[in-house]
Every structure is written in structure tokens, then in C-alpha cells.
Amino acid sequence: MCIFPYGRLRVSFLLYALLTVTIGSYASSHREAPLISQDPLADNTDVYAFKSPDDPNTITIIANYIPFESPEGAPNFYDFGTNIRYEIHIKNKTTTTGDDITYRFTFSKTDQDPSTFFYIRLGKQNRKTTYKCEKSLDGGKTFTTIVMNGLVPPANVGPRSIENNTVGLGTTYEALVQQAIATATTGEQVFCGPVDDPFFVDLAGAFDVGNFRPAGNMTNPPKDGLNRFNVHSIALKVPVSLLQKDGKGVDQASDILDSDYVIGVWASASRQMVRTLNNTGEVGYSGEWVQVSRLGMPLTNEAVIPIGMKDKWNGLTPYNGSDLQFAPYFTNPELALYMDDSQFGQAVPSLNALRIQTKSLGSFDFRNGKPGLFPLKGTAALNGTALSEAAFGSILLPDNKSPRAVDLLPIFYTGVPNLPPYQLATGKGGNPLAKGKPFINNFLPTLGDMLRLNMAVPATPRNHPKFSSLGLVQAAVLGLTDPAYNNPKTNLKFIPNMDGFPNGRRLEDDVTTIELQAVSGVVLAAIGLFYDDATPTMPVSPRLQSVLGFTAGPTQNDTEFKKVFPYEQNPWRGFDYPQKARF
């Protein structure tokens, strides 16, 4: 018998990270770092958190794993790993140092008929998977089992395996999904199983040094690189009162931006350090549990963290200042270099629509290494704003060469407060530091990467005529331009898509386009730091319109979403012919 460290390079590296740290790809976490690309069963692909569209009293949280699952992946179909801790982490307080709620999932497998090489035969299923869900309310010190022997639907093999009454299971796949939805002893609905990968992105274009192909490009149309691939999903539908820090329901919120209803969400996967093998296969695992993958905000480790730091990032948590070492990659993001003609912008024409403010309001330069708003630091003009030294000026205006600390850093690391200057330019009278129209408050200043959601914000109905996959960017557009929403005398009013990314993340949100627009300065423009070609009478200038018109390629998933939990569509099955991708 031999004992193999679970990837000697992985263990030595992660031990180094854990001992020494005390404080891209564009497909959201699909093979995003060198080490985790060799361990797909533990690879986070995406995290979603949104107000359930069919139930205003609940939040749906989804953590997906295992990238690029081909439906034809027989005879050993993709499935959750049995020696992995899959965890969903929730933060709702700033007074604690770690998780406030943790959901842990572990999986087991059984062969019902080892005499056959088929995955399903004669009403029996091999590699039949069940799970245990545990919940912790004390930072992971103790756990209570809330679902035992939960069912995981099998792979969607084909009509004979699933539907045939003689040699198959004699049912429908939708029936298997419904049977797998469990109700936890603490009130959550839980689903674990294979689904269509809900993410959409032009992988081929993105990896060719940002050679995105916008939607509508007839010469070289974009291709959804995740079209007809599946993932394995862990989905929770949780009453707001179980997530809110004081146990309050959404009906007790003071308004739709109540700061007491903000949560931070991230997911991880962990393995034990040592794997033991003999000549018959795997014997077991031993040693300490080590986090090998994590994900909060989409695209962080893919499009922000450089390749030499990706494995280290995966091994850390967003707590206790661990993520501050990565802050320079947000305050001067690499992607901005390809939107700047003084750098590499002319070499990447696919991003021509995206250009960063160099003389906003005649003076403020937000290109990498430029001062941004730093010339205002310490002045009376910042009094009463989030940028004052009495508030968060030391973080948001750290020096004269970190221009995007004022917008990109809070989006990823703190959430955005309902304070000047982070309000819409509507009503500001041309002064971006003045009080404007509120449209976001998901402020949870933990200084770490999480997907932050204000649970008090209502869901935009998916059939609403102004529902948009551009999320909060579109809410800002409506709040600036639409007479139904841009009345500055109406201080706080719901605007469609206020519940969209980066205020949480809905399945429909086009996060690739939104984040590229954000790097290009669209958030700065929304709060009144308009583009260089703006005028007092034309703040929505051609440059802003160009940014808003940009798409990163596919703008919707390759299939429709369900109207009820778990909302993700059933997995593709390999027996069916491929379907044309939707853009």
C-alpha cells in the first residue's frame, strides 16, 4: 500500500499559504486556477443569491460545482465527490470574525447492482448518491444535521434509462427532480443534483486576449462556450428570517434598502490532505481538511487575480483581512489596460466601446495609476460622504495611484452604501458628491470577496417589461433617464432590477458584460462622474451610450429557467442531439 499526498504540490502550497498568510478565465470559476483545474469535482463554478421570484419571503442561494460536464460522459457520469466538504458560507454581522451561518454538504454513493456495467438497469441505479446537510450557527465550531439521506437525481442518461418501465427507472426526469427536493428540519428547501449550467459566456473570444464577439456580430458570431454543458448544483431556498441577523422577516424591514438585511455569501470545497491508494483503488483520506476552492463574486479569480496568485487565493477565506493583499488588483485592474489607448487599447478593438474616464468633469482621471478622486482627499468637499476620512476615506482613497479603489473595490470587498457619492446622479445638480437618488445599499464592510445581497429589495418579476440581464446597471439607467423612476423628489422608490447583480446575482444576470462595463467606468458615470464627452445638458453622452450598448457576447442562457425552485433547468442528456445555442 502506498500513501500519496493529495497532490504534493497542492498540499505544500496550501500549507505555505495557511502558515504564512495571516490576514484569466472569464467563465465564472470554470477551471480558473492551475491546481483546481486538476480536481474538477471540487471546483466551484458559480454562486448565485437572489430574492426568490415566486416567494418574497425567501432567498435562493445556489453554489455550482464541476465545470464542463458533457451529457455524454458515460459510463462514469459526473457526480459530487464523496471525500469533499462542499460548504455555503453566509455573513450577516460585522461584529463576528467568521461565518455567521454555514451549510455543509457531504455525499455518499451506493451500487445497487454491481453485476452490470450500466449506470441504470432494471429499475436499479449504480453510483446512487445521497447527501447529508449540516448547519452551523457558531462559525463552524459545531454542526447540526438538518437533512439526512437526501436524494441526488441520477445523470439524465436517456429515455430508456430514465423512462422505460422494464429496463429503466420507469419515471420522468422531472419527477426525479421533484422527489429530490427536501425540506430541512430548520425550514429550508434543499436540492442537490445535476442541472444545465446556467452561466453563459464567449470563452473562445475571452481567452484570445479579450477578443470578445458582441451579440449581433454576423461575420464572426459569439459562441456560448458553456452551451449544452451541465454542472452539479447545491441549491437552498431559505426564509429571510433565517438569514437576517436578528431573525426578522422581510415585512419588518424599515424600507427596501434597510442595511440590517444585507448578507454576504460565498462557497467553498475542502479536501483532506492525504489520499491513500493500493492496487485495488482508493482506500481513504486522512489528515486536516484544506480548502482547495472558493467563490463569491463572479470572475474575481478569473479576470482580476493574476495567474501566479490564483491558487493562493483559492486557499484563503475572505475573513480577517486575508483578501486585502489582493486589493491592488482591483484598484488598478489589468482589464482596464485594454480599455486605454495609452496602454494596450488599440490592440484590442473588440473592447473599443469601453473606454475609461480620463477627464471626467474636466479633471478626474481614472486610468490605471492615475489619481482618480485622490486630489479631493482631506478637503471639505468630502464631508458627509463615504469618502471622508471620518468614514471610509482611508480605504476608498488610499493614495494617488489607486483610482478604482473608489468604485471597483467596494463592489467586490465591502458592498456599496446608500451614502454620497454612491447614489444616482439624478437630483445631484451636477455635483457627484451631493445627495442623489438611492438605488443600492448592500454594504457589509468585511473587506473580503463575497456576493452581497440586500434581502429587503423586492424581486423584479421575470415577465416585467423592464426586466434586464444587465441588473443594477439597467436600474441605474432607468433611474437616470426613465420618467417613471428619475423624479429626484421621489427619494427612495423601487426601480426594476435593483435586485440584480451586483446586488446579489440572479440566474439571468449577464455578469460578464456588467463587470466589463464596470471596469470601463459605468458606475462612476451613474453617480455623476460622467465620461469625458459629457456636457451639463447631455450627461448621457455618446461615450456612455457606447458603454451601455456593449455586450460580451451571449446575453442569455442556452435554455429557459424554471419558474419554481430550484429554478435551474434540468440537465441536458447525452442521448439527445445538440441544440443551437441562444445568444
Side-chain angles (χ1 to χ4, degrees), residues 200-201 222-225 227-228 553-561 572 579-583:
F200 45 94
V201 66
K223 175 186 177 183
D224 180 2
N227 178 48
R228 207 173 170 271
T555 58
Q556 59 182 342
N557 189 34
D558 53 10
T559 186
E560 294 181 352
F561 296 115
W572 300 97
Q579 296 189 14
K580 184 178 180 181
R582 298 168 62 196
F583 301 129

Side-chain angles (χ1 to χ4, degrees), residues 118-185:
F118 284 115
Y119 178 71
I120 291 172
R121 189 186 71 154
L122 303 178
K124 295 182 179 180
Q125 178 190 339
N126 288 327
R127 315 312 290 158
K128 184 177 179 68
T129 304
T130 59
Y131 68 89
K132 177 173 68 173
C133 175
E134 301 169 276
K135 183 176 180 179
S136 174
L137 298 175
D138 58 7
K141 296 176 183 177
T142 61
F143 282 86
T144 300
T145 299
I146 61 173
V147 177
M148 191 70 189
N149 295 320
L151 295 175
V152 175
N156 194 2
V157 180
R160 185 164 297 170
S161 296
I162 302 299
E163 299 162 18
N164 188 272
N165 289 318
T166 302
V167 295
L169 296 178
T171 186
T172 65
Y173 198 84
E174 180 60 26
L176 292 171
V177 170
Q178 292 303 313
Q179 292 167 13
I181 297 175
T183 299
T185 58

Side-chain angles (χ1 to χ4, degrees), residues 255-278:
D255 57 51
I256 61 172
L257 293 180
D258 190 332
S259 59
D260 286 340
Y261 283 74
V262 178
I263 58 172
V265 180
W266 60 287
S268 69
S270 300
R271 282 192 181 270
Q272 288 177 283
M273 284 185 177
V274 180
R275 181 175 61 163
T276 305
L277 305 175
N278 63 16

Side-chain angles (χ1 to χ4, degrees), residues 13-14 17-18 21 29 32-36 43-44 47 266-268 291-302 304-318 322-327 329-330 412-413 447-451:
F13 177 82
L14 288 174
L18 291 171
V21 179
S29 204
E32 86 289 350
L35 288 178
I36 198 61
D43 190 357
N44 298 85
V47 173
W266 60 287
S268 69
Q291 181 179 298
V292 296
S293 179
R294 68 151 160 157
L295 184 64
M297 287 287 285
L299 311 180
T300 296
N301 204 13
E302 298 73 16
V304 180
I305 308 300
I307 193 167
M309 301 291 284
K310 289 179 180 292
D311 293 324
K312 184 177 185 179
W313 190 90
N314 262 343
L316 300 175
T317 76
S322 293
D323 277 347
L324 290 178
Q325 63 192 292
F326 305 108
Y329 305 121
F330 296 89
F412 283 81
Y413 271 24
L447 296 176
D449 184 279
M450 301 178 195
L451 189 64

Side-chain angles (χ1 to χ4, degrees), residues 307-503:
I307 193 167
M309 301 291 284
K310 289 179 180 292
D311 293 324
K312 184 177 185 179
W313 190 90
N314 262 343
L316 300 175
T317 76
Y319 300 130
N320 302 314
S322 293
D323 277 347
L324 290 178
Q325 63 192 292
F326 305 108
Y329 305 121
F330 296 89
T331 60
N332 285 283
E334 180 187 351
L335 276 169
L337 300 176
Y338 312 112
M339 304 173 189
D340 179 358
D341 288 340
S342 68
Q343 298 291 330
F344 310 120
Q346 294 183 358
V348 188
S350 57
L351 296 178
N352 278 346
L354 305 177
R355 286 297 180 268
I356 300 164
Q357 293 93 320
T358 63
K359 293 182 180 180
S360 182
L361 305 183
S363 60
F364 299 111
D365 191 341
F366 292 96
R367 292 174 296 173
N368 282 12
K370 302 300 182 181
L373 290 180
F374 190 79
L376 298 178
K377 188 178 180 71
T379 66
L382 299 183
N383 291 344
T385 76
L387 306 181
S388 71
E389 288 303 296
F392 310 103
S394 61
I395 298 170
L396 303 174
L397 295 175
D399 53 51
N400 65 353
K401 54 185 177 182
S402 301
R404 309 312 296 278
V406 76
D407 63 329
L408 295 185
L409 193 67
I411 288 172
F412 283 81
Y413 271 24
T414 68
V416 182
N418 180 20
L419 287 172
Y422 302 110
Q423 296 167 331
L424 290 178
T426 301
K428 289 186 175 182
N431 176 11
L433 300 176
K435 183 179 179 181
K437 189 175 184 66
F439 79 119
I440 184 173
N441 180 13
N442 63 353
F443 189 58
L444 190 71
T446 56
L447 296 176
D449 184 279
M450 301 178 195
L451 189 64
R452 289 169 170 82
L453 170 68
N454 190 315
M455 302 184 293
V457 178
T460 305
R462 301 314 190 252
N463 61 355
H464 192 289
K466 293 179 179 174
F467 180 88
S468 172
S469 64
L470 290 181
L472 206 61
V473 170
Q474 183 62 17
V477 171
L478 295 174
L480 290 170
T481 64
D482 193 318
Y485 310 105
N486 71 350
N487 185 345
K489 294 181 180 179
T490 305
N491 186 25
L492 178 56
K493 179 181 179 180
F494 177 71
I495 305 171
N497 305 295
M498 284 174 66
D499 59 317
F501 181 78
N503 181 30

